[in-house]
């Protein structure tokens, strides 16, 4: 089937899955031209086989809270594609989780993982359980109950989950412990593990650092220095924190952070000391970003989005569709020069169009935030060879991978006017690798 036929067919079959359709539409529209140059792809209905996940597991998760109440959540694992390696991708715990969101993430993950140059297929999982407001023991019981179902479907050579929204080192530790007990085996079945039990140095930092390494490559194409640039960062979790960390190291000035309740704007910049405070607030005390404004006496906007402020560089690091068309127009009108996505699909299609028309530097998540999963891939390698690499070794491999992803984007996304279409570049590069692997392995 032709690209447009597949798209309208998917819309008919999955009308209640807007995020999945959004991600699929973006990729298919940017690869259409290349796809049409390969009649052998169409002959084997490659597109439809690429868009529909290999399988989806859905299960009930039952757990008891501290008051003795029995709670029921939904659990999922989407195994999208294992043509270039074991299924690989994070687990998200958030009340908004549903099949559409996980299908979009698993689809995107497949291309992102292809771009890393490492042998990893694509998958994603999660639950509509939110750790927010839960005690440590409730989170532990939930993670154990979740893994009690999930363990049957995963394995170090089959499917290797990791963290995402609501799943950090703490949750990975609990899930790893439960997997090990059920399977009776110590294997690298999850990434993002603690350093004491097979985790990799730099994995916590990797998504944020990787995003800035990618941004540096983009800025280099226009001869722009990052030092002194005012940066808008959204979110205040793993990705946002290490994005700020690297910005501070490079002399840039992060001025915002947010959570689902609102955002802070600190005109003096988030310094090293203030970032240490945020890390303790968010990772240990599990507090709200509002408390930053109370501690440092800056602006807090309840219910607001950082995109109503202005800055030189925008680094969305919270969630999907957080930047809409109006936000994008405001950012462009107030002089943003680069947008690099730490989050997955944070810009709506309209926002992407605004950025691209304005010819600012714009990097989609599947390229810019691939450093997280790439370092997960490095964790898998270290687990397989039973060795731990030093911080510098992992960091320099991460830098090389991000530079390589940038090169792939330039190769497939260079435009006649000298600019680079990073959306097209990332989508075509990822697609070609996965497509060739599917063709080589026969009709399955
Ligand atoms: P965290 O759970 O550590 O942090 C998420 C942050 O975003 C929190 O501040 C959270 O606020 C905020 N947030 C989440 N959902 C919403 C929402 N619906 N509305 C408003 N704010 C929200 O997750 P990560 O930092 O790991 O993930 C952030 C993004 O980066 C996600 O899009 C994820 O898919 C992506 N990503 C993560 C990678 C990783 O390695 N962790 C790798 C690649 C991409 P609150 O605390 O109030 O919920
Ligand atoms: O979206 C992502 O790339 C992640 N959440 C990280 C996945 C991983 O397997 O490390």
């Amino acid at each position: 089937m032709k690209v447009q036929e597949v798209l309208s067919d998917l819309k008919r079959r999955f009308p209640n899955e807007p995020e999945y359709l959004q991600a699929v539409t973006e990729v298919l529209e940017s690869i259409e031209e290349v796809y049409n140059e390969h009649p052998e792809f169409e002959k084997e209905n490659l597109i439809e086989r690429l868009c529909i996940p290999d399988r989806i597991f859905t299960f009930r998760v039952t757990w008891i809270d501290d008051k003795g109440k029995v709670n029921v959540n939904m659990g999922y694992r989407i195994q999208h594609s294992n043509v270039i390696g074991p299924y690989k991708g994070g687990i998200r715990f958030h009340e908004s989780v549903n099949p559409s969101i996980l299908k979009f993430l698993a689809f995107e993950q497949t291309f992102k993982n292809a771009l890393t140059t490492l042998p990893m297929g694509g998958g994603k999982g999660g639950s509509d359980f939110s750790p927010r407001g839960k005690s440590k023991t409730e989170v532990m019981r939930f993670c154990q109950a979740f893994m009690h179902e999930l363990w049957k479907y995963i394995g170090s050579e089959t499917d290797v989950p990791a963290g995402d929204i609501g799943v950090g080192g703490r949750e990975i530790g609990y899930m790893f412990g439960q997997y090990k007990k059920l399977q009776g085996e110590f294997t690298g079945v999850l990434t993002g593990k603690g350093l004491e039990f097979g985790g990799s140095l730099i994995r916590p930092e990797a998504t944020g650092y990787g995003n800035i390494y990618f941004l540096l490559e983009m800025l280099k194409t226009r001869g722009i220095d990052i030092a002194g640039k005012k940066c808008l960062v959204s979110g205040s979790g793993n990705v946002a924190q290490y994005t700020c960390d690297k910005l501070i190291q490079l002399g840039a000035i992060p001025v915002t952070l947010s959570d689902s309740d609102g955002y802070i704007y600190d005109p003096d910049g988030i310094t090293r000391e203030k970032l240490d405070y945020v890390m303790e607030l968010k990772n240990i005390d599990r507090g709200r970003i509002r408390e930053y404004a109370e501690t440092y006496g800056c602006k807090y906007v309840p219910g607001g989005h950082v995109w109503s402020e202005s800055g030189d560089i925008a680094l969305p690091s919270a969630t999907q569709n957080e930047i809409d068309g109006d936000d994008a127009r405001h950012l462009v009108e107030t002089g943003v020069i680069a947008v690099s996505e730490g989050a997955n699909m944070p810009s709506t299609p309209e926002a992407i169009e605004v950025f691209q028309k304005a010819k600012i530097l714009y990097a989609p998540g599947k390229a810019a935030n691939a450093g997280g999963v790439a370092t997960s891939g490095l964790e898998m390698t270290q687990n397989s060879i039973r060795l731990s690499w030093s911080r510098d070794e992992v960091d320099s491999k991460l830098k090389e991978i991000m530079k390589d992803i940038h090169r792939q984007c330039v190769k497939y996304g260079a435009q006649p006017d000298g600019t680079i279409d990073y959306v097209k570049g990332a989508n075509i590069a990822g697609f070609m690798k996965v497509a060739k692997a599917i063709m080589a392995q026969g009709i399955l």
Side-chain angles (χ1 to χ4, degrees):
M1 279 203 279
K2 294 271 189 207
V3 164
Q4 291 305 329
E5 283 168 18
V6 174
L7 267 179
S8 39
D9 195 46
L10 290 173
K11 283 179 190 153
R12 181 187 60 76
R13 291 158 78 187
F14 306 105
N16 302 319
E17 299 186 354
E19 293 86 2
Y20 170 63
L21 293 172
Q22 181 183 334
V24 166
T25 304
E26 183 213 284
V27 170
L28 294 196
E29 287 184 344
S30 55
I31 57 126
E32 186 166 6
E33 217 178 295
V34 176
Y35 184 73
N36 290 337
E37 289 164 9
H38 291 268
E40 72 277 18
F41 289 170
E42 207 195 314
K43 205 164 152 239
E44 296 194 5
N45 195 6
L46 187 116
I47 287 284
E48 205 177 354
R49 290 161 62 205
L50 195 60
C51 291
I52 307 267
D54 286 356
R55 65 193 66 78
I56 301 178
F57 298 108
T58 304
F59 45 89
R60 190 188 72 229
V61 185
T62 311
W63 59 283
I64 301 176
D65 66 23
D66 290 345
K67 294 195 185 86
K69 184 177 161 235
V70 177
N71 293 268
V72 173
N73 283 99
M74 295 304 298
Y76 309 93
R77 184 71 184 168
I78 317 269
Q79 295 183 335
H80 191 88
S81 167
N82 65 353
V83 285
I84 60 174
Y87 301 106
K88 179 85 195 87
I91 291 180
R92 178 176 290 193
F93 290 166
H94 192 267
E95 62 262 20
S96 62
V97 162
N98 60 37
S100 171
I101 289 177
L102 295 181
K103 276 174 72 180
F104 114 64
L105 289 163
F107 175 80
E108 287 276 298
Q109 195 82 48
T110 302
F111 299 98
K112 185 197 300 189
N113 294 2
L115 289 173
T116 66
T117 68
L118 303 174
M120 299 182 289
K124 202 88 188 187
S127 173
D128 57 0
F129 165 86
S130 173
R132 183 175 170 183
K134 307 289 191 302
S135 72
K136 209 176 144 192
T137 50
E138 286 174 330
V139 170
M140 181 180 74
R141 283 197 294 275
F142 177 81
C143 289
Q144 292 172 341
F146 181 82
M147 187 51 84
H148 210 132
E149 280 292 328
L150 185 69
W151 77 287
K152 296 170 233 176
Y153 312 124
I154 61 175
S156 59
E157 304 297 325
T158 323
D159 183 349
V160 183
D164 193 78
I165 291 177
V167 178
R170 175 181 69 170
E171 290 75 17
I172 292 290
Y174 292 146
M175 286 193 273
F176 182 75
Q178 179 74 345
Y179 179 87
K180 190 167 58 64
K181 192 168 177 78
L182 291 163
Q183 185 68 35
E185 236 179 47
F186 189 110
T187 57
V189 66
L190 294 166
T191 58
K193 298 184 289 298
L195 288 178
E196 307 78 9
F197 52 99
S200 174
L201 286 160
I202 300 285
R203 178 62 189 89
E205 294 89 340
T207 311
Y209 279 20
N211 189 17
I212 302 303
Y213 296 153
F214 193 89
L215 171 68
L216 290 175
E217 292 303 301
M218 290 205 292
L219 292 175
K220 217 192 282 174
T221 66
R222 297 195 182 175
I224 301 169
D225 188 355
I226 197 168
K229 294 290 177 297
K230 187 174 154 189
C231 301
L232 304 177
V233 180
S234 65
S236 50
N238 172 268
V239 179
Q241 291 170 15
Y242 287 103
T243 295
C244 285
D245 180 357
K246 189 51 80 177
L247 289 172
I248 295 166
Q249 283 177 33
L250 297 170
I253 309 163
V255 290
T256 61
L257 282 172
S258 68
D259 60 24
S260 47
D261 295 340
Y263 78 89
I264 58 110
Y265 178 79
D266 185 343
D268 300 331
I270 298 164
T271 57
R272 168 72 44 203
E273 179 210 332
K274 292 172 182 174
L275 180 60
D276 288 344
Y277 165 85
V278 171
M279 290 193 175
E280 191 167 328
L281 173 74
K282 283 288 170 185
N283 309 345
I284 297 164
D285 304 339
R286 311 265 161 192
R288 309 306 298 161
I289 204 65
R290 172 181 40 79
E291 296 167 52
Y292 178 106
E294 288 158 9
T295 304
Y296 294 109
C298 70
K299 176 164 107 175
Y300 172 69
V301 182
H305 292 285
V306 306
W307 317 121
S308 47
E309 299 294 338
S310 62
D312 302 309
I313 294 169
L315 299 152
S317 310
T319 195
Q320 65 276 353
N321 291 328
E322 56 170 303
I323 303 182
D324 65 16
D326 288 340
D327 295 327
R329 275 182 286 276
H330 167 77
L331 288 172
V332 166
E333 279 158 18
T334 53
V336 80
I337 52 173
V339 179
S340 200
E341 297 184 341
N344 285 305
M345 206 169 77
S347 307
T348 63
E350 193 189 345
I352 296 174
E353 202 183 322
V354 172
F355 294 144
Q356 293 198 314
K357 275 209 177 118
K359 301 262 178 208
I360 62 156
L361 296 166
Y362 166 71
K366 69 169 74 65
N369 73 36
V373 73
T375 308
S376 279
L378 300 176
E379 182 172 329
M380 288 165 73
T381 306
Q382 292 169 83
N383 291 166
S384 298
I385 61 172
R386 304 263 197 282
L387 282 177
S388 300
W389 293 330
S390 69
R391 205 181 154 83
D392 281 352
E393 267 175 295
V394 181
D395 199 25
S396 65
K397 284 183 171 52
L398 169 63
K399 264 184 211 152
E400 252 337 290
I401 290 171
M402 298 316 294
K403 281 187 186 168
D404 194 271
I405 296 174
H406 188 269
R407 277 193 290 270
Q408 295 178 61
C409 290
V410 173
K411 178 174 171 195
Y412 290 101
Q415 299 299 294
D417 66 1
T419 60
I420 298 148
D421 181 339
Y422 288 94
V423 174
K424 207 169 163 190
N427 286 336
I428 296 176
F431 166 76
M432 284 310 287
K433 181 167 175 185
V434 180
K436 283 180 187 165
I438 293 178
M439 293 297 287
Q441 293 175 28
I443 300 170
L444 294 164

